[in-house]
Structure formats: structure tokens, C-alpha cells
Amino acid sequence: MAYKIKTKSGLEDFELEFTDRKVTEIIQFNPFDTDLPKRLFEAQKSIEEKTKEIKKFELDENGIPNVDVCVDYLESINKIVYDAIDYAYGNKISDTVFKYCSPFAVIGGEYYIWRFMQQMAEVLEPIIGETRKKANANLNKHIAKYMKK
């Protein structure tokens, strides 16, 4: 007989509002995962490193790229970003995050991917700070039981 262990991974819902479309989508990840900041940093580095490895498309004598090569390039670079985002957040959120535009769509003078990451950081910083504060208080409470007075 196999033993069953039931647990949760801490997924929380986050609303991703596309204001210009008047659409709200839900993404889920664990904002309390202590490895989240590390994975975000690793994802950013991975995007930077792997995009350097992709062969850039060349332009013909008229300055126009070969369509097939250009499409392959864009698909390759998008896959790198999708995989990195899913890894960073520990859940498959890229399909939702990039549902309405690609990672490198220029919106308000910035690439969408960097704007998304910046806005996520603004949401996550207070959550992470509060979570650490509570976790440390709980840890200190448990440690206090075993400390000699």
C-alpha cells in the first residue's frame, strides 16, 4: 500500500489587468516561495545569455530580412523568455502574461517583458517583506521554546 501525502504548493491568484482591452486574466504562483527572488534573477540572466546565442537574422540588399529566418528568430527568442518566466514564477504563467502581446512588444517606450517584470516587483516587494517578517516572528517564537532562560 502506498502512503499518500497531501500538501499544497502555496499558489496564490494574481489579477493581470490589461487596461486597454478591459480584460483581466488570472495568473498563479507562490509569492511566498523564498527561492522566487533567486529564480527571477536567474531568469533575467538566462534571457540575457541565451538571446546572445541566437543567430541574428540578416538583411538582404534592400535591407529586408528573410521572412522565414526572421520568424524563426522571433520564435526562438520568445521561447527563451516564456521558459524563463515559467521557471522564475514556478508555474506556467507565460501563456497568460503574453496572451495579448509578445515579450518584446514596445509599449509606452519599453519592452513589455521589462515593464511586466517591474510591475511585478512593485507588487511582490511588500508581500515578500511582510512574509519574511511573519516567518521570522514565528521562527523566533518556536526557538524561544528551546532557549534557556
Side-chain angles (χ1 to χ4, degrees), residues 128-141:
I128 291 169
E130 187 61 32
T131 300
R132 283 188 184 146
K133 188 175 169 182
K134 287 179 183 177
N136 287 338
N138 286 334
L139 178 64
N140 290 335
K141 184 174 108 179

Side-chain angles (χ1 to χ4, degrees), residues 51-67:
T51 53
K52 289 178 189 174
E53 297 171 10
I54 296 176
K55 182 182 174 197
K56 303 273 191 254
F57 52 87
E58 296 175 6
L59 305 177
D60 67 14
E61 64 277 355
N62 298 317
I64 299 172
N66 175 295
V67 173

Side-chain angles (χ1 to χ4, degrees), residues 39-107:
R39 288 194 314 265
L40 286 166
F41 177 75
E42 290 171 350
Q44 182 176 348
K45 280 189 77 163
S46 175
I47 291 169
E48 291 169 359
E49 290 171 5
K50 288 182 178 180
T51 53
K52 289 178 189 174
E53 297 171 10
I54 296 176
K55 182 182 174 197
K56 303 273 191 254
F57 52 87
E58 296 175 6
L59 305 177
D60 67 14
E61 64 277 355
N62 298 317
I64 299 172
N66 175 295
V67 173
D68 293 334
V69 174
C70 187
V71 168
D72 289 346
Y73 173 79
L74 292 172
E75 286 176 355
S76 296
I77 204 164
N78 284 346
K79 181 172 179 4
I80 289 168
V81 173
Y82 280 46
D83 291 348
I85 292 297
D86 292 341
Y87 166 75
Y89 288 94
N91 200 18
K92 182 129 179 79
I93 67 169
S94 61
D95 289 343
T96 303
V97 172
F98 304 118
K99 185 174 184 175
Y100 300 106
C101 60
S102 71
F104 295 100
V106 178
I107 300 174

